[in-house]
Amino acid sequence: MDKPASGRLLKAPENFLDAQGIERVKAEARDGRRDFIRSAFAAALAGGGAAAASSAQAAANPVPPEGGDPNILNLPAHTTGLGQPVVTDGYGKPSKYESNVQRRPSPGLTQTAQASVSFAPLQSLFGIVTPSGLHFERHHQGWWDIDPSKHRLMVNGSDETMLKRPMVFTLDELMRLPSVSRFHFIECGANTGMEWGNVAVPTCQYSHGMISCSEFTGVPLIHVLNLCGADLKRGRFVLAEGADGSSMTRTIPMSLIESGEVLLAYGQNGEMLRPENGYPLRLVVPGVQGVSWVKYLRRIELGDQPYGAKDEVMHYIDLMPGGVHRQYTSLQEVKSVVTTPSGGQVLLDKGYYNVSGLAWSGRGRITQVDVSVDGGRNWRPARLQGPVMSKCLTRFNADWVWDGKPALVMSRATDETGHVQPTYTALRAVRGSRSIYHNNAIQTWHVQESGEVKNVQLA
Ligand SMILES: Nc1nc2c(c(=O)[nH]1)N[C@H]1C(S)=C(S)[C@@H](COP(=O)(O)O)O[C@H]1N2
Ligand SMILES: [Mo]
């Protein structure tokens, strides 16, 4: 592994440090110890946990640097010199010190990089918005950078009576229509799918990183259907079709479209969609699994029954106990994950930590998140950070003073419809352990005495 697949190393935040802690942070800053710890951790991930543990101890008991008088001001160049000129090559980039924050494919997960996934680094993100360059990717047949001037959206009926005026739209035409901007999460139905049977991956990037959250801008699909003279009494289903080689087609029920929530989206986080995320046009279907958010959207057909496309009858079905399949299980149920502390991170010292994570539900708003640090024996409510929006990621935070003993950190979300995130035991009792999709079980992170955090499942 080239770089650690984990996030930031944890340490107590500056404003909670005692005198000794302040000395330690000063010493780290003077001799670049923090960088040393970061790179030591990279090596530890590749070769086992021992190095991480000893570097954690080194940080807890720093040796004062030799030579130099810490009382003499040594102003750094960035305080005394002239900075860089304005960025003239146009598009800004993150600091070079953040180059470790990347989306990553899971080695060996897929045979080709075209039909594959790259996971968002949830452990390194703040708030609820996923920077567009870190949005997870899922392609069935590779991504394209399609010329928007050549792209078209066709809207037709399954027969002539279903829709009075079939139309072909250019992107410019769509962008002249009244638009809305809304924050929503998109989660692949297979997110956390590797964990159905047992613990499979080390970090929350790999266990939960097939979710992202953006502000999407576009035209409500219902508006365009009305423009085309759709018969909404008979036309109760829409087929959405992508322009890539995967023949991605999905049925969307009119009940979702009528609410105005389903968007023909061209915008993502204030700019045009990224090519990987469907540029120049994708369907946004809030609360529904990612596969229905058809990218490179080229056609919408209105019909009177579900289409039974290949990605709804052969794939994206759940194998239940007793050999029965669940079909058309599109909704993403209530779910949450603690992103700090999470698998692959190291707590450098006992003391205060802000337990932080993300919660979401395809049914609406999150109303409560409870946090446990003792494997679910005791729970207490976390603080929900506003804004709390429907079918959107919600950030939660909870105070925790780590006593240095092993701990089992968990979060449990509840949504406005009263649905509560299940334990693995409860979920498997109903759904077995052979599904790929819709695993919304409570995640547990095991904080070890060394400070290392591991992915575990409780019986
Ligand atoms: N045209 C097209 N649309 C598609 C796909 C695809 O391969 N082709 N993949 C689907 C799946 S399975 C998911 S999870 C989401 C992923 O969206 P993202 O790559 O923007 O994260 O897009 C969906 N839409
Ligand atoms: Mo997906």
Side-chain angles (χ1 to χ4, degrees):
M1 212 177 286
D2 53 347
K3 296 255 178 69
S6 73
R8 279 150 213 290
L9 290 163
L10 296 182
K11 60 172 186 61
E14 260 80 348
N15 47 346
F16 291 97
L17 290 180
D18 56 17
Q20 202 195 345
I22 291 167
E23 267 320 303
R24 185 180 81 225
V25 171
K26 277 189 190 163
E28 285 173 6
R30 275 200 300 269
D31 68 3
R33 193 182 288 273
R34 287 183 200 186
D35 286 343
F36 162 73
I37 294 167
R38 274 184 177 228
S39 46
F41 184 51
L45 255 190
S54 63
S55 69
Q57 274 151 21
N61 307 299
V63 184
E66 281 169 35
D69 182 346
N71 294 319
I72 291 175
L73 269 185
N74 258 327
L75 291 175
H78 60 249
T79 304
T80 54
L82 183 62
Q84 311 281 325
V86 290
V87 177
T88 48
D89 61 358
Y91 207 101
K93 293 186 188 64
S95 160
K96 65 183 176 192
Y97 301 108
E98 300 301 320
S99 62
N100 182 34
V101 180
Q102 293 177 10
R103 48 187 174 192
R104 294 167 196 278
S106 180
L109 182 64
T110 56
Q111 287 181 357
T112 69
Q114 280 82 16
S116 195
V117 180
S118 72
F119 298 82
L122 302 183
Q123 70 283 353
S124 304
L125 304 181
F126 315 117
I128 57 172
V129 171
T130 313
S132 296
L134 296 174
H135 193 291
F136 87 95
E137 298 165 81
R138 170 76 177 103
H139 318 297
H140 291 237
Q141 186 102 335
W143 62 272
W144 295 94
D145 198 356
I146 294 174
D147 181 345
S149 71
K150 302 216 169 76
H151 190 72
R152 299 287 182 273
L153 174 72
M154 181 164 111
V155 183
N156 66 282
S158 58
D159 63 48
E160 313 80 74
T161 63
M162 202 63 81
L163 192 133
K164 283 196 206 99
R165 292 178 294 280
M167 288 199 213
V168 174
F169 293 86
T170 65
L171 205 68
D172 288 333
E173 285 164 349
L174 281 174
M175 291 175 77
R176 286 175 63 176
L177 298 177
S179 69
V180 296
S181 295
R182 297 200 188 114
F183 290 86
H184 289 297
F185 75 82
I186 166 175
E187 182 182 23
C188 177
N191 198 21
T192 325
M194 290 181 280
E195 303 279 304
W196 263 113
N198 46 40
V199 163
V201 295
T203 67
C204 78
Q205 176 157 16
Y206 293 126
S207 64
H208 289 75
M210 278 200 276
I211 190 164
S212 292
C213 185
S214 302
E215 185 192 41
F216 292 100
T217 298
V219 185
L221 173 56
I222 190 69
H223 184 71
V224 169
L225 287 172
N226 282 329
L227 270 183
C228 296
D231 179 350
L232 298 180
K233 280 216 178 68
R234 286 175 56 232
R236 297 309 293 166
F237 298 92
V238 145
L239 182 77
E241 179 184 86
D244 56 326
S246 70
S247 320
M248 180 54 69
T249 43
R250 291 284 303 185
T251 303
I252 316 292
M254 189 54 68
S255 52
L256 294 176
I257 298 166
E258 268 169 342
S259 71
E261 279 192 355
V262 176
L263 304 181
L264 302 167
Y266 43 80
Q268 178 183 350
N269 295 332
E271 58 184 358
M272 290 296 287
L273 290 164
R274 292 293 171 91
E276 308 92 289
N277 305 121
Y279 180 88
L281 193 67
R282 92 173 302 169
L283 202 63
V284 164
V285 194
V288 169
Q289 62 179 336
V291 66
S292 292
W293 297 46
V294 175
K295 302 191 274 191
Y296 321 109
L297 183 71
R298 72 169 175 204
R299 194 165 73 89
I300 290 286
E301 180 178 300
L302 185 64
D304 58 3
Q305 50 190 302
Y307 282 80
K310 72 169 169 31
D311 286 297
E312 352 193 86
V313 294
M314 288 171 61
H315 310 293
Y316 297 92
I317 50 179
D318 299 316
L319 187 55
M320 303 278 282
V324 177
H325 279 119
R326 294 203 312 161
Q327 227 179 312
Y328 287 113
T329 50
S330 292
L331 202 104
Q332 294 302 103
E333 298 283 359
V334 64
K335 187 167 169 181
S336 69
V337 64
V338 171
T339 53
T340 306
S342 63
Q345 295 181 322
V346 181
L347 278 62
L348 293 185
D349 203 356
K350 54 188 169 188
Y352 178 86
Y353 287 93
N354 179 36
V355 175
S356 187
L358 295 164
W360 61 96
S361 168
R363 294 181 186 273
R365 277 190 308 277
I366 290 295
T367 50
Q368 185 165 343
V369 178
D370 298 299
V371 165
S372 173
V373 292
D374 59 6
R377 272 187 210 96
N378 297 287
W379 295 93
R380 64 204 156 93
R383 295 185 298 275
L384 301 189
Q385 177 179 299
V388 177
M389 294 182 276
S390 179
K391 304 174 187 179
C392 183
L393 291 188
T394 296
R395 171 68 59 178
F396 64 86
N397 295 293
D399 300 321
W400 180 42
V401 178
W402 184 43
D403 58 9
K405 302 206 181 84
L408 294 165
V409 179
M410 311 161 93
S411 64
R412 180 184 65 194
T414 306
D415 70 20
E416 62 179 320
T417 66
H419 282 79
V420 182
Q421 192 179 358
T423 61
Y424 266 105
T425 309
L427 188 66
R428 287 185 182 133
V430 181
R431 306 259 305 278
S433 58
R434 294 178 63 202
S435 285
I436 298 172
Y437 305 104
H438 307 300
N439 175 359
N440 67 327
I442 292 171
Q443 169 69 38
T444 308
W445 302 116
H446 181 198
V447 179
Q448 303 181 329
E449 239 165 322
S450 64
E452 290 172 87
V453 188
K454 294 275 156 66
N455 182 7
V456 294
Q457 286 183 10
L458 301 183

